[in-house]
């Protein structure tokens, strides 16, 4: 059921960044990926997965929906280290109006270029990010990070994501 069919407009998006698959930085070498999830002015970061192109995060975040015209953006970066700027591997942009309040499903999303850019011909695949995304109304059906991790088969004592 989409949120348009529900009685109350959702107030939040619950996002669990589950894993990455075949993450490919622009320059060959080690892949030290991390994810930034943003919606409007809210932004959360996963931990850096050191030297792993297929990381497992299982980190959950809840972002308030303050503007329905804002995109939910999941950006995967390569942590370059030192004083150099982190390198974007790719991103996924989702319209909150097209998300669902149905029970969340884990799905792989193909990473694309930065907003406003087009894929360069011959560019190797950037990889994929696995995420569970769900709309909810605070106080009605708020999925806790512990419940989400339990659904994924992880113990509730494992660490959740850190807000930025």
């Amino acid at each position: 059921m989409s949120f348009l069919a529900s009685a109350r407009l959702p107030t939040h998006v619950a996002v669990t960044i589950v894993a990455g698959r075949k993450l490919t930085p622009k320059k060959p070498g080690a892949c030290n990926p991390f994810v930034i999830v943003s919606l409007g002015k809210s932004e959360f970061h996963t931990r850096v997965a050191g030297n792993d192109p297929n990381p497992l995060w299982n980190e959950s975040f809840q972002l308030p929906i303050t503007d329905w015209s804002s995109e939910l953006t999941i950006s995967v970066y390569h942590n370059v280290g030192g004083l150099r700027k982190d390198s974007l591997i790719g991103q996924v942009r989702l319209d909150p109006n097209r998300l669902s309040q149905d029970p969340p499903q884990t799905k792989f999303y193909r990473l694309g270029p930065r907003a406003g850019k087009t894929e360069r011909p011959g560019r190797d695949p950037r990889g994929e990010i696995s995420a569970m995304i769900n709309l909810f109304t605070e106080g009605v059906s708020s999925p806790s990070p512990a419940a989400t991790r339990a659904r994924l088969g992880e113990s509730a004592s494992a660490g959740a994501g850190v807000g930025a």
Side-chain angles (χ1 to χ4, degrees):
M1 165 176 75
S2 76
F3 77 84
L4 295 173
S6 67
R8 293 180 60 188
L9 201 61
T11 60
H12 288 75
V13 177
V15 178
T16 298
I17 300 299
V18 179
R21 183 163 60 189
K22 298 180 183 177
L23 300 177
T24 309
K26 290 178 186 173
K27 295 183 180 176
C31 182
N32 301 307
F34 68 97
V35 178
I36 299 176
V37 179
S38 60
L39 177 65
K41 294 181 180 182
S42 297
E43 184 175 280
F44 292 91
H45 300 234
T46 66
R47 65 177 168 71
V48 174
N51 197 19
D52 189 354
N54 300 297
L56 182 62
W57 283 290
N58 283 334
E59 296 185 33
S60 298
F61 312 103
Q62 295 181 359
L63 297 93
I65 302 170
T66 57
D67 179 2
W68 282 93
S69 64
S70 295
E71 288 183 314
L72 173 66
T73 305
I74 301 172
S75 302
V76 181
Y77 287 87
H78 166 59
N79 180 287
V80 178
L83 299 175
R84 295 181 297 174
K85 187 176 178 183
D86 295 322
S87 171
L88 179 71
I89 294 173
Q91 65 182 200
V92 176
R93 294 175 304 280
L94 302 168
D95 180 352
N97 294 292
R98 296 182 175 267
L99 297 175
S100 173
Q101 283 184 283
D102 292 336
Q105 302 280 330
T106 301
K107 178 179 176 183
F108 271 96
Y109 297 90
R110 183 179 175 277
L111 296 173
R114 182 180 311 276
K117 300 280 184 173
T118 57
E119 195 74 60
R120 288 180 287 167
R123 167 77 160 100
D124 289 333
R126 299 166 187 264
E128 298 175 311
I129 190 78
S130 172
M132 185 184 319
I133 302 169
N134 174 317
L135 294 174
F136 69 95
T137 302
E138 190 172 47
V140 175
S141 60
S142 174
S144 72
T148 302
R149 284 193 303 275
R151 221 181 344 232
L152 293 170
E154 183 181 278
S155 73
S157 62
V162 177

